[in-house]
Amino acid sequence: MYTKIISQKLESLKESGQYREFVTINRIRGQYPLAQSVTQKSTEQVVVWCSNDYLGMSQHHIVTEAMHDAIRSLGAGSGGSRNIGGTHSYYTALESALAEWHGKEAALVFPTGYGANDATLQCLLRLLSDCIVFSDERNHASIINGIRSTQAERMVFRHNDVEHLEALLVAQPFDRPKIIVFESVYSMDGDIAPIQKIVALAKKYNALTFLDEVHAIGIYGPRGAGIAAELGIANKLDFIQGTMAKSIGVIGGYIAASSLLVDVIRSFAPGFIFTTSLPPAVVAACHASVEYLKSSDNERIVLHQKTNTLRDALIRAHIPIMASSRTHILPVLIGDAKKCKDAAKRLLEQHHIYLQPINSPTVPIGTERFRVNVTPNHTKEQIEKLAFALTEVFHYFGISFSHEQDFLNA
């Protein structure tokens, strides 16, 4: 009986074009964004266009040398949770660096960004009696899961709609505990939240603010500290959440806040207390990358320059970039799950370009897309080749170009 139920679920996923398959991509050390695509039939060199390693820091010699040095000093594993013996001096350095980066009193590192969101939100919503949470409708799955894992009342406001948010807030008693959870850069649309307006509403209606900056840190703001820092309002946010798995180029998540708020999460969050900590080599690499990005603007400058070059190349080719994009993330609308998956396969096999199809439930049905982002390491030739390849694939599968159908506001 169980086999039949499960098989039917998987078959339904395959028929809808939403079934996910792994593609083996072995990145070539020191040559990113080049990688080896490995199949049963062959091994081909490909160009990666959808990695979250936005600045290529995973390949930087400062980061890899810090990792090697830590392994030579402390070995491979951490030995357990932070409370049982899995903490070490690299953690102290990293958390101090993260707190200083965001202008906060303290920071707390988790094994992943998903875990940082999930564990922190669950903890807060269970500690604050009768708390109500207000969540942007396009928040990440880690945020949604953290909220849904509690019995707290939740209100979902329309994406980046401060008028809708205020209508929900005004209906609640002023003294009722409230948390507003949102992101700065939304990774599937490439847009930016109205952070200043949301912060103003939080102050007006007595709410805590929890801002996910994972797709912004390292790239925006002074020293890469994020959108809130760019706007000069990081000090007005109660929690800033980030990751070391994207621009920082390694792995791990964190929160930065007041010493009191960080201590309560450290002391009460099961998702922090009972999980094995990151290995010393990973923490050391994260610290080296953060400190480097605080002092070097070059990677950010080149990224933004090449993003503009890529955007211009796609526009000239009439490739439909969704109008929401205001950042380094360029969502290219396909609008059909099967075509999106087939187009990705053709790009890989015929053009040696790796782009992952983004289908439901990650994005709404009918807005299936490629999430394209350049890095400082991509060349002008590679950018032009991507535009050519997308043009060929759009023609091959009958996907609408921007001048044929108005997909841009999807």
Side-chain angles (χ1 to χ4, degrees):
M1 178 181 75
Y2 301 107
T3 299
K4 182 178 180 181
I5 293 171
I6 292 168
S7 297
Q8 287 174 343
K9 293 291 184 182
L10 286 172
E11 192 58 38
S12 176
L13 203 62
K14 292 175 181 178
E15 289 175 359
S16 68
Q18 296 170 11
Y19 181 73
R20 290 172 169 84
E21 297 178 78
F22 289 137
V23 178
T24 301
I25 298 290
N26 295 333
R27 292 199 287 174
I28 303 170
R29 182 179 180 272
Q31 298 183 52
Y32 177 74
L34 294 182
Q36 297 285 348
S37 171
V38 181
T39 66
Q40 292 181 341
K41 296 180 180 180
S42 66
T43 299
E44 301 283 351
Q45 190 173 94
V46 300
V47 180
V48 178
W49 281 100
C50 54
S51 171
N52 287 332
D53 188 9
Y54 295 132
L55 299 175
M57 289 302 296
S58 68
Q59 307 293 309
H60 200 288
H61 69 91
I62 288 177
V63 177
T64 57
E65 286 172 10
M67 185 171 277
H68 282 293
D69 289 344
I71 291 174
R72 283 189 286 267
S73 296
L74 301 185
S78 69
S81 68
R82 294 281 294 276
N83 291 311
I84 289 179
T87 198
H88 40 75
S89 58
Y90 292 115
Y91 262 118
T92 303
L94 176 58
E95 288 173 342
S96 295
L98 292 169
E100 189 275 335
W101 206 16
H102 294 292
K104 298 296 184 185
E105 293 177 346
L108 187 67
V109 169
F110 294 75
T112 66
Y114 188 107
N117 274 335
D118 186 54
T120 302
L121 289 169
Q122 284 194 48
C123 181
L124 284 172
L125 293 172
R126 287 170 178 159
L127 286 175
L128 299 173
S129 179
D130 193 35
C131 185
I132 181 170
V133 60
F134 301 87
S135 178
D136 188 288
E137 68 177 344
R138 295 188 186 174
N139 276 339
H140 189 264
S142 57
I143 293 173
I144 295 169
N145 193 69
I147 294 170
R148 286 180 175 173
S149 297
T150 73
Q151 295 181 349
E153 184 178 357
R154 55 186 179 270
M155 295 282 184
V156 177
F157 61 93
R158 291 188 293 270
H159 181 53
N160 286 345
D161 189 335
V162 291
E163 292 182 359
H164 186 214
L165 174 59
E166 182 165 22
L168 297 174
L169 286 164
V170 75
Q172 298 300 320
F174 183 80
D175 291 333
R176 185 181 185 185
K178 310 173 194 69
I179 304 174
I180 303 171
V181 186
F182 61 112
E183 303 180 32
S184 58
V185 173
Y186 287 85
S187 65
M188 290 300 125
D189 299 290
D191 57 342
I192 300 174
I195 302 175
Q196 291 168 304
K197 293 179 180 179
I198 292 175
V199 166
L201 286 179
K203 182 177 181 181
K204 182 177 179 180
Y205 294 102
N206 191 31
L208 290 173
T209 47
F210 187 103
L211 176 65
D212 178 321
E213 285 256 44
V214 299
H215 292 278
I217 59 165
I219 301 174
Y220 301 95
R223 303 188 304 157
I227 300 289
E230 185 174 87
L231 297 171
I233 58 171
N235 63 318
K236 296 182 179 180
L237 287 146
D238 296 296
F239 286 90
I240 292 176
Q241 184 268 351
T243 183
M244 274 86 69
K246 295 178 173 56
S247 293
I248 294 171
V250 196
I251 193 173
Y254 65 88
I255 56 168
S258 68
S259 296
L260 181 68
L261 289 175
V262 167
D263 195 28
V264 79
I265 301 303
R266 184 190 68 83
S267 300
F268 285 96
F272 173 79
I273 295 170
F274 298 106
T275 190
T276 300
S277 67
L278 290 169
V282 170
V283 182
C286 290
H287 180 242
S289 184
V290 168
E291 289 299 314
Y292 175 84
L293 290 174
K294 285 182 181 181
S295 61
S296 175
D297 288 327
N298 181 64
E299 288 76 13
R300 288 185 281 277
I301 291 170
V302 176
L303 173 67
H304 295 311
Q305 289 173 342
K306 291 192 175 179
T307 296
N308 290 335
T309 300
L310 174 58
R311 187 184 292 272
D312 290 343
L314 296 182
I315 289 173
R316 287 197 308 273
H318 301 289
I319 302 298
I321 303 170
M322 293 173 66
S324 56
S325 174
R326 295 288 183 272
T327 61
H328 60 290
I329 297 166
L330 304 182
V332 170
L333 194 65
I334 306 300
D336 179 276
K338 190 175 187 306
K339 286 184 178 181
C340 196
K341 188 173 182 179
D342 290 345
K345 183 178 180 182
R346 183 169 179 83
L347 282 169
L348 186 64
E349 294 178 351
Q350 299 297 321
H351 299 281
H352 308 301
I353 285 172
Y354 178 61
L355 271 173
Q356 184 67 19
I358 307 295
N359 291 338
S360 173
T362 305
V363 296
I365 292 173
T367 69
E368 292 82 3
R369 69 198 68 174
F370 292 134
R371 178 183 171 277
V372 184
N373 47 273
V374 73
T375 72
N377 301 327
H378 283 90
T379 66
K380 185 176 180 181
E381 180 183 5
Q382 288 168 341
I383 290 172
E384 292 299 330
K385 183 178 179 182
L386 173 65
F388 171 82
L390 283 170
T391 300
E392 190 277 331
V393 166
F394 269 55
H395 280 302
Y396 188 88
F397 290 106
I399 301 169
S400 295
F401 288 86
S402 57
H403 64 289
E404 294 174 329
Q405 187 168 348
D406 183 15
F407 276 153
L408 300 185
N409 294 316

